[in-house]
């Protein structure tokens, strides 16, 4: 009766992951992607001939090892090259350079503060312990704390027990981490401003918060939980760009029989009697399936594709209240040569890692203040990499691509539109970076600016929020995306969610995609569909 | 040498509560107070002849009704007067919002700004009332405590779990969701009118280092609504005769129960022997013995000024040092020649809270100032004119005005508070004058208390009125430091009872009450 067992809306990395797992379990799966390329925000595109941009996401660290293993991703040529360092140039010509070489990093930090060098060791150890403590939650279906259902109570008991087993001190440290601001948390450990600023920056990525905002210390941990080659905290670059990750997951899905169509944008989810039974494309074409999985955020899914007539008032309010304010932008550059940083002139290993424009906590906080009142940051925070330094295939010989992640760029501007402000924003980014690398303007061959508006229009991310919803404490775990619906299911029967708007949240993890697939399989096996 | 069952360091409102409850259980109690009067920041002073200022705190609406009843405070002269109206929020253009005790009248008032907001206001109040009621229930939950390992009672958890479920599914989720939220996001979910949103959300930033757009401020809002409240706003708070009467009533109740109170007496050291407190040393060298010593001073002062560090674990001291207690409030007390004339002359609306903070952005910007170490020249002001409800506070036709101002950060990046005090006072005058033309001409006398003045006069480290910030990582079992959240300290027989302990500040009397219970329980156990 149905064409397919499952239709997945959107070929983002989570949607592709769900498709791969379902196909692997023998289901007949169709993935429908609006764009002409796969990957959603994990995508490589040759916008300027010869230069490959990781248009949106640019590093990977949190990709779940069980996904890599279970889908056998290395078989499809997945190679991740570690990003070994973070270089923070300072306005006075000095710099801070941390790397995977512990001894070197210690010496470098000691150059700024000897007590910080001591503390850095202990801090790293504590963060690893806490990452290990929280890790099991990433792979867990959030239990419902409001029900007497034995399975959920068991789940809650397991969570409770797990935390009790950590011991008192770690438990308190974890509580502090979950509730404090990254600045306050780091103030207790370090004194060097540039060090604190660079570290706290990972606490604010993708959020609408500043380093002094409570709840940002938690995100510090989120980005610490990477498991590249068993080494926590390593970030890496996928050879061929972020699109490689999506491509290999798509290859795995196809290998198991999934069908993937591009330029096939879904306009509506077809619902009858509270049950989803198919989708209708922009073109009018319809497909039917026993199960529909949306890889798209809840606002787009429910308010656009399902339609409010199928939602009860409470759920509609909850989805409307879901906070999804975008604050990030990307500027991708094609360069004729390497940028020359005053703080560390010439070519060097510092250009093969991350470059962080985060000279002080005030700097980042002021960048955030601008956004709070509806302006893009006059002096933005930037997280930069030169993929071509690690993977020469990304640009012609001797030339380079530069990926600049920028905050803050609020989706809602107080005056004007993003279309009007795009160039001014790009100019601000280039001007600011030029203060650190004065040759920049002379070497730019091409500039691509991806504003929150573009993230929404082109990549389907409502309000340009890169995590399909803010990672604030009131929208995490059993509260994500909305209370009562944290297990990938929705009020519409046979309609599921698998994107970053579900637990465990954003970042290129594929965790949501996998967990959603497992829940779907549980349901379909139960009903013997 | 004199000997007591218990000595309380400081006669702040919590210290007096602790002393009274201990005396009620037949303990011989001495309270030692550095200042000439009791009450700490809950005090009244006649600095300018004929006018009685409530020195710091200006609302007692959150004070525990249980303590009021147990200690018979009404008999000892405590009378709480209602706010009427609850709140008046003027806008610069002369428009305003008034919220009264009557939901019907209030709906009409709000309806002038937004019909949809008017329709939702009473449900909002009910929702918040239920949430803050549950919050006060969990405040009673026994917290983990290193001095009594294994005392964290799973049975209590089950009881709380049961009460939690009784809330109903929707309310349960609401509680979990709202607790960590920002006050701004909370009001944004319900309302559209800026003036209304700001008037409600500001309750979440009282004493807070961060503004209403930051997480944790919804918790603060709920915390401050425990007690006399309609859910969203406090309904009572004036004390007849001035705030000091609350402390006086507590002192009278305590004394009637047998407590001895000495003022103008300062404790300079807690005497410790073998890791246990045995008494105190006064400023005149006098030593007094006690089986228990309870400190109402803030935690940093207690451990860095009063206790020998020898017995304290360096990790514990580090945690105490890391307690964030950055004062952000300045207090301005004024004697006025008449009532301020807000544009459109609404003197009838001035009998409750007068709220200067017309938008969420305005409030957020005042918190930004604190971050960068400067005081706000466009501050958030919570103002009361208690002489309207209680004419005894000022001569006929004249008034006292109490202004709570944010932000005035304890640590200034440029200049000192000595040199900036007047500039702050002037800024506050100017801003009030922007809403009430001619205001500056009616001021007969002005007292400005900067965070530094609060520290110097009242012994508050960092000038923080709640002893320690009420941030998400400094509440419940994290307050004052993780592992020591039940009034015990690493020194045997030394306890804490001030606002720096659970459940925190806001003049509830609860820290004092729970501390007393803890002391009695540990005494009963023979420690």
């Amino acid at each position: 009766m149905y064409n397919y067992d499952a239709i997945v809306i959107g070929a983002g990395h989570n949607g592709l992951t769900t498709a791969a797992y379902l196909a692997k379990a023998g289901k007949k799966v169709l993935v429908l992607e609006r764009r002409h390329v796969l990957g959603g925000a994990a995508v490589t595109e040759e916008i300027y001939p010869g230069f490959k941009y990781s248009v949106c996401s640019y590093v990977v660290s949190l990709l779940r090892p069980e996904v890599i293993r279970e889908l056998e991703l290395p078989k499809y040529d997945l190679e991740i090259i570690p990003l070994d360092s973070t270089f923070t140039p300072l306005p006075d010509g000095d710099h801070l350079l941390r790397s995977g070489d512990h001894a070197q990093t210690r010496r470098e930090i000691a150059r700024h503060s000897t007590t910080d060098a001591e503390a850095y060791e202990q801090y790293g150890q504590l963060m690893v312990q806490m990452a290990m403590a929280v890790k099991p939650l990433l792979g867990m279906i959030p239990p419902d704390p409001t029900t007497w259902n034995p399975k959920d109570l068991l789940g809650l008991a397991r969570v409770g027990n797990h935390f009790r087993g950590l011991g008192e001190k770690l438990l308190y440290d974890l509580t502090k981490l979950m509730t404090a601001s990254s600045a306050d948390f780091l103030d207790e450990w370090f004194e060097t401003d540039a060090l604190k600023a660079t570290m706290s920056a990972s606490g604010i990525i993708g959020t609408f918060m500043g380093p002094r905002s409570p709840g940002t210390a938690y995100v510090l941990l989120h980005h610490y939980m990477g498991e590249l080659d068993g080494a926590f905290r390593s970030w890496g670059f996928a050879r061929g760009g972020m699109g490689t990750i999506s491509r290999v997951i798509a290859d795995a899905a196809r290998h198991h029989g999934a069908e993937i169509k591009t330029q096939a944008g879904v306009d509506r989810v077809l619902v009858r009697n509270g049950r989803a039974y198919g989708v209708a494309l922009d073109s009018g074409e319809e497909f039917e399936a026993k199960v529909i999985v949306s890889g798209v955020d809840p606002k787009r899914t429910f308010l656009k594709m399902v339609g409010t007539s199928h939602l009860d008032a409470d759920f509609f309010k909850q989805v409307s209240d879901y906070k999804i304010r975008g604050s990030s932008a990307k500027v991708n550059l094609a360069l004729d040569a390497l940028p020359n940083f005053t703080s560390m002139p010439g070519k060097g290993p510092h250009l093969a890692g991350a470059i962080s424009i985060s000279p002080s906590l005030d700097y980042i906080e002021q960048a955030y203040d601008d956004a709070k009142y509806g302006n893009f940051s006059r002096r933005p925070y930037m997280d930069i990499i030169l993929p071509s330094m690690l993977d020469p295939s990304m640009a012609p010989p001797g030339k380079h691509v530069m990926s600049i992640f920028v905050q803050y760029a609020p989706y809602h501007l107080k005056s004007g539109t993003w279309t009007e402000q795009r160039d001014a924003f790009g100019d601000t980014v280039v001007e600011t970076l030029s203060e650190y690398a004065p040759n920049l303007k002379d070497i730019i061959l091409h500039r691509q600016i991806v504003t929150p508006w573009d993230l929404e229009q082109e990549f389907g991310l409502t309000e340009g929020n890169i995590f399909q919803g803010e990672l604030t404490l009131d929208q995490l775990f059993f509260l994500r995306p909305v209370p009562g619906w944290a297990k990938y299911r929705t009020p519409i029967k046979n309609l599921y969610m698998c994107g970053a708007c579900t637990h465990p949240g954003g970042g290129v993890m594929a965790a949501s995609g996998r967990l959603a697939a497992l829940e779907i399989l549980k349901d379909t096996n139960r009903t013997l569909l | 040498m004199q000997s007591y069952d218990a000595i309380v360091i400081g006669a702040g409102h919590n210290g007096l509560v602790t002393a009274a409850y201990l005396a009620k259980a037949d303990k011989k109690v001495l309270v030692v107070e550095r200042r000439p009067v009791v009450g700490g920041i809950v005090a009244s002073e006649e600095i300018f002849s004929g006018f009685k200022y409530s020195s710091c705190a200006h609302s007692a609406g959150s004070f525990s009704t249980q303590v009021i009843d147990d200690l018979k405070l009404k008999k000892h002269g405590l009378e709480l007067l209602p706010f009427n109206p609850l709140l008046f929020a003027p806008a610069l253009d002369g428009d305003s919002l008034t919220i009264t005790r009557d939901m019907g009248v209030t709906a009409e008032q709000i309806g002038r700004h937004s019909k949809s907001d008017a329709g939702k206001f009473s449900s909002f109040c009910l929702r918040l009332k239920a949430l803050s009621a549950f919050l006060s229930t969990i405040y009673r939950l026994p917290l983990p405590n290193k001095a009594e390992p294994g005392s964290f009672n799973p049975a209590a958890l089950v009881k709380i779990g049961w009460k939690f479920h009784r809330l109903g599914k929707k309310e349960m989720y609401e509680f979990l969701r709202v607790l960590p939220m920002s006050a701004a996001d909370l009001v944004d979910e319900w309302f559209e009118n800026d003036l209304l949103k700001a008037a409600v959300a500001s309750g979440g930033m009282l004493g807070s280092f961060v503004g209403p757009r930051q997480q944790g401020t919804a918790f603060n809002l709920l915390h401050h609504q425990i007690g006399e409240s309609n859910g969203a706003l406090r309904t009572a708070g004036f004390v007849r005769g001035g705030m000091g009467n609350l402390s006086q009533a507590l002192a009278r109740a305590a004394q009637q129960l047998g407590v001895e109170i000495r003022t103008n007496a300062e404790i300079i050291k807690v005497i410790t022997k073998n890791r246990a407190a045995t008494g105190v040393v006064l400023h005149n060298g006098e030593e007094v013995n006690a089986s228990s010593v309870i400190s109402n001073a803030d935690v940093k002062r207690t451990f860095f000024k009063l206790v020998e560090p020898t017995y304290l674990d360096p990790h514990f001291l580090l945690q105490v040092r890391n307690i964030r207690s950055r004062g952000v409030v300045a207090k301005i007390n004024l004697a006025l020649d008449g009532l301020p004339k807000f544009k459109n002359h609404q003197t009838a609306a001035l009998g409750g809270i007068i709220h200067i903070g017309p938008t969420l952005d305005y409030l957020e910007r005042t918190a930004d100032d604190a971050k960068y170490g400067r005081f706000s020249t466009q501050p958030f002001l919570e103002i009361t004119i208690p002489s309207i409800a209680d004419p005894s506070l000022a001569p006929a036709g004249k008034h006292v005005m109490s202004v709570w101002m944010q932000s005035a950060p304890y640590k200034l990046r440029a200049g000192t508070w000595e040199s900036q005090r007047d500039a702050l006072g002037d800024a506050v005058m100017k801003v009030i004058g922007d809403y009430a033309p001619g205001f500056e001409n009616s001021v007969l006398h002005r007292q400005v208390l900067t965070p530094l003045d609060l520290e110097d006069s009242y012994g508050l480290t960092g000038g923080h009125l709640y002893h320690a910030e009420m941030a998400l990582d400094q509440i419940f079992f994290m307050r004052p430091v993780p592992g020591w959240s039940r009034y015990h300290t690493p020194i045997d027989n030394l306890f804490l009872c001030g606002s720096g302990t659970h459940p925190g500040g806001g003049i509830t009397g609860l820290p004092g009450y729970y501390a007393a219970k803890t002391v009695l329980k540990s005494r009963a156990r023979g420690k």
Side-chain angles (χ1 to χ4, degrees), chain A residues 140-184:
Chain A
M140 175 190 256
I141 313 286
D144 182 344
T146 65
T147 160
W148 291 121
N149 181 323
K151 269 207 12 225
D152 288 298
L153 286 179
L154 196 63
L156 285 169
R158 235 181 292 149
V159 174
N161 231 21
H162 170 76
F163 284 119
R164 268 187 48 167
L166 297 177
E168 228 184 300
K169 181 173 182 310
L170 207 55
L171 198 55
Y172 291 134
D173 286 330
L174 200 57
T175 304
K176 194 168 196 86
L177 192 74
M178 295 298 292
T179 51
S181 70
S182 39
D184 285 338

Side-chain angles (χ1 to χ4, degrees), chain A residues 144 146 172 176 179 184 209 213-214 317 323 325 362 365-366 368-369 372-373 473-474 483-484, chain B residues 165 169-170 172-173 177 180-181 185 189 214-215 322 324 364-365 368 371-372 413 473 477 482-483:
Chain A
D144 182 344
T146 65
Y172 291 134
K176 194 168 196 86
T179 51
D184 285 338
M209 299 189 274
S213 301
K317 178 95 175 58
K323 295 190 294 288
R325 296 164 298 195
D362 270 4
E365 192 67 28
Q366 273 156 355
Y368 167 58
D369 286 346
K372 268 195 301 194
Y373 305 114
L473 293 167
D474 59 313
Chain B
H165 276 262
K169 202 178 189 76
K170 203 161 140 183
M172 280 194 271
Y173 271 128
R177 207 174 66 94
M181 273 179 97
D185 283 343
E189 285 186 0
Q214 308 307 321
Q215 290 186 79
N322 281 335
R324 294 192 308 281
E364 186 70 20
R365 281 188 209 274
D368 288 346
K371 281 188 307 199
Y372 303 114
R413 283 202 193 171
D473 63 318
F477 57 86

Side-chain angles (χ1 to χ4, degrees), chain B residues 73-265:
Chain B
L73 294 183
K74 292 191 177 146
K75 206 181 81 180
H76 291 290
L78 173 68
E79 190 188 341
L80 279 183
L81 300 172
F83 287 149
N84 190 13
L86 301 189
L87 181 138
F88 168 68
L92 274 173
D93 62 4
D95 202 352
S96 65
L97 175 69
T98 304
I99 300 181
T100 74
R101 318 175 76 85
D102 182 317
M103 277 297 173
V105 170
T106 300
E108 249 178 74
Q109 284 286 325
I110 297 176
R112 284 195 306 109
H113 299 272
S114 156
K115 289 268 173 289
S116 130
D117 288 358
K120 295 187 196 160
F121 189 69
S122 81
S123 317
F124 178 74
C125 292
L126 283 172
R127 166 64 55 81
L128 251 57
K129 198 136 180 85
L131 295 177
S132 59
F134 185 69
L135 186 67
S136 72
T137 306
I138 32 179
Y139 278 171
R140 293 199 275 277
L141 176 72
L143 298 169
N145 174 21
K146 276 192 215 224
E148 297 165 345
S151 67
F152 186 37
N153 191 349
L157 263 184
V158 173
K159 199 161 139 214
I160 292 293
W162 183 255
K163 289 212 166 126
F164 184 61
H165 276 262
R166 290 259 307 274
L167 287 176
K169 202 178 189 76
K170 203 161 140 183
E171 297 294 341
M172 280 194 271
Y173 271 128
E174 269 310 280
F175 185 76
L176 291 171
R177 207 174 66 94
V178 170
L179 209 63
M181 273 179 97
S182 75
D185 283 343
L186 178 62
V187 297
D188 274 339
E189 285 186 0
W190 286 81
F191 306 119
E192 55 182 12
N193 176 258
D194 248 335
L195 211 50
L196 176 62
K197 286 196 280 188
V200 173
S202 68
M205 68 179 278
L206 296 170
S208 163
F209 200 78
V210 296
R213 293 201 186 283
Q214 308 307 321
Q215 290 186 79
T217 46
F219 158 76
N220 266 324
L221 180 58
L222 291 180
H223 174 82
H224 284 115
Q225 298 314 319
I226 294 174
E228 301 275 341
S229 156
N230 74 355
L233 299 169
R234 278 159 294 153
T235 52
F238 296 127
V239 174
R240 189 180 288 289
M243 285 296 286
N245 266 7
L246 170 57
S247 306
Q248 292 301 322
L250 279 169
R252 279 192 281 269
Q255 281 164 327
Q256 198 179 78
L257 289 163
V259 174
E260 189 188 326
I261 302 178
R262 282 192 221 172
T263 53
N264 283 315

Side-chain angles (χ1 to χ4, degrees), chain A residues 331 333 341 357 363 376-380 382 384 402 404 406 423-442 444 447 449:
Chain A
V331 174
L333 303 173
F341 284 88
I357 304 300
Y363 180 94
F376 59 76
S377 307
R378 270 156 293 198
R379 313 204 67 245
M382 298 181 222
I384 303 164
M402 181 185 256
I404 310 174
V406 188
D423 283 333
F425 175 72
D427 291 344
T428 299
V429 170
V430 170
E431 286 297 332
T432 306
L433 188 51
S434 298
E435 289 174 24
Y436 299 88
N439 71 329
L440 185 67
K441 281 189 251 190
D442 302 327
I444 297 177
R447 175 171 105 175
I449 306 169

Side-chain angles (χ1 to χ4, degrees), chain B residues 273-306:
Chain B
K273 269 192 197 71
N274 298 329
R275 228 188 211 87
T278 59
V280 298
V281 180
L282 302 183
H283 62 287
N284 57 6
E286 187 187 339
E287 283 188 19
V288 187
N289 275 349
S291 320
S292 305
V293 177
I294 304 113
S295 175
N296 190 188
D298 69 81
V299 186
K300 284 181 181 168
R301 199 181 184 84
T302 303
F303 289 104
F304 292 126
K305 289 214 158 86
L306 301 177

Side-chain angles (χ1 to χ4, degrees), chain A residues 378-458:
Chain A
R378 270 156 293 198
R379 313 204 67 245
Y381 158 70
M382 298 181 222
D383 188 20
I384 303 164
I385 61 168
L386 294 155
S388 39
M389 286 289 291
L390 292 165
D391 175 9
S393 78
M394 303 296 286
K399 303 198 194 297
H400 291 277
V401 281
M402 181 185 256
S403 160
I404 310 174
F405 174 87
V406 188
Q407 269 183 212
Y408 294 73
Y411 176 81
H412 295 286
L413 289 170
K414 194 163 64 171
S415 54
T417 65
W418 269 113
T419 313
E420 291 161 7
Q421 302 251 34
R422 182 183 291 113
D423 283 333
F425 175 72
D427 291 344
T428 299
V429 170
V430 170
E431 286 297 332
T432 306
L433 188 51
S434 298
E435 289 174 24
Y436 299 88
N439 71 329
L440 185 67
K441 281 189 251 190
D442 302 327
I443 56 175
I444 297 177
L445 297 170
H446 177 264
R447 175 171 105 175
Q448 178 199 34
I449 306 169
V450 185
T451 68
W453 173 253
D454 298 320
L455 287 170
E456 183 182 73
Q457 296 299 305
E458 187 59 35

